[in-house]
Amino acid sequence: MAKVVVVTSGKGGVGKTTSTAALGAALAQNGEKVVVVDFDVGLRNLDLVMGSERRVVFDMINVIQGDAKLSQALIRDKRLDNLSLLPASQTRDKDALTGEGVARVVAELRDKFDWILCDSPAGIERGATLAMHHADIAIVVTNPEVSSVRDSDRIIGLLDSKTAKAERGERIEKHLLLTRYDPVRAARGDMLKVEDVLEILSIPLLGIIPESQEVLRASNIGSPVTLSAPVSPPARAYTDAVKRLRGEKLEVAVPVERVGLVSRLFGRRVA
Amino acid sequence: MQSDTHPRMKIRVRGRSFLAFVIAPEPPLDAWLAELDGQLARSPGFFEARPVIINLAAITAPERGADTLLDDLEKRGISVIDVEHAPAVRGADPWRRRLLGGRDAGEIDVGDSERAPAPPEETSLVIAEPVRSGQSVLFIKGDVTIIGSVASGAEVLAGGSVHVYGALRGRAVAGAVGRSNARIFCQRFEAELVSIDGFYMAADDMDQALRGRAVEIRLVDDAIVVSPLGSDGKGTRWPK
């Protein structure tokens, strides 16, 4: 049975789109049929991060308004043919999303794919609530800092009250994905500790993604980090997160950069 | 030039809630009044000291006895505070609709006892999950117990006391409708604001030594006192 996953956070800039792309690609690398859906109407980015921006013809709003068929709007990834993208419209705004239109698109996607990853816009307004409404699973992307944690807490409250599952009286499955984690700064006490974040949000931890240049580089070249640098620490962390998402029991560790003795000495001095 | 020699007085307004009964007379009115008399004979005092709202939705046509209905009810010791759906009734004209809103409290059994007690009201609320940022828990009738934490940006307002079995990081308001003996208890004190009976203490005024500890918060002589649980009430006062 298809699973609808919303990647959400409340706060902007914490890594929702990057994580959607990386998790989507990692799921596809495991042989699953995956579609990543951009819900950020008006500020679409997922197409860039996936490297599909030059192939966008139709988007989700066209499908909702009946101007295009779903199959025309879906863009198949060039690297993995079981990975697709449903882009958002850049020229419209979130009011163009209708509850019934989104319901129809999600229902149609459920027939075609194993995993439907919805990249939520920031905020708690229409776009974000529609992105989460049909979800079976929520991945709450959080940075280890107070404002991000509080916004995530707000989003968890909405997940428990505003989604279709909550309205039916069921519980939505929620996971915490801690991104932009910097072990050096955490050791210095400049960042919230992992256990503090978990204590405040009290939802299970899906993974810890270390802060890395690889993530930035991957976004810039339009490739999910699990494809562009599969052995880098962030890619390994995303791959492990996907294993947990698929039900594997795996200890969560903080992946570290493997550095040689020389660079470690110099690294210390610079820091 | 004019100077005000009177010291400024403080106006304190408090809320108080009563359960109002809504009764709906049905035609023919004389038969309905006879039935009411029978009921009152079996359970005298049921309407005593109770605010009553008359719902005239069933009286659609001009009905005999309608113009004297309100007097008839007053004579029976029923104190009518408002009338709903009054258009067809001439006697109801001076009783314009004054109250708005109101939440239905369900059917009340008048019963046949000497003095039927009102059904026991729920006087406590237990929430077995964390209160998330942006959520607000409001329970005026009594105590609120949270099994979990109250997040930063969340608030719990209770007519009685507030109990938090977890960290209190948001706001807690106890005695919200004027009860100075209400208290706040929490397992970990990291609150943004606590308030009892209108007196409040913001995070800036809280004793840093008590942050993160299990505390009890109460009102003593119009000052909020925070003390560690089990310390026999020796705590920090605000205002000092």
Side-chain angles (χ1 to χ4, degrees), chain B residues 29 33 63-76 89-92:
Chain B
L29 282 172
L33 282 170
E63 188 70 31
R64 199 159 54 84
D67 37 5
T68 58
L69 175 66
L70 293 170
D71 289 337
D72 288 338
L73 291 172
E74 294 284 354
K75 254 184 273 168
R76 286 166 173 81
V89 183
R90 263 189 298 133

Side-chain angles (χ1 to χ4, degrees), chain A residues 225-239:
Chain A
V225 70
T226 42
L227 289 175
S228 65
V231 293
S232 65
R236 282 185 287 133
Y238 278 119
T239 307

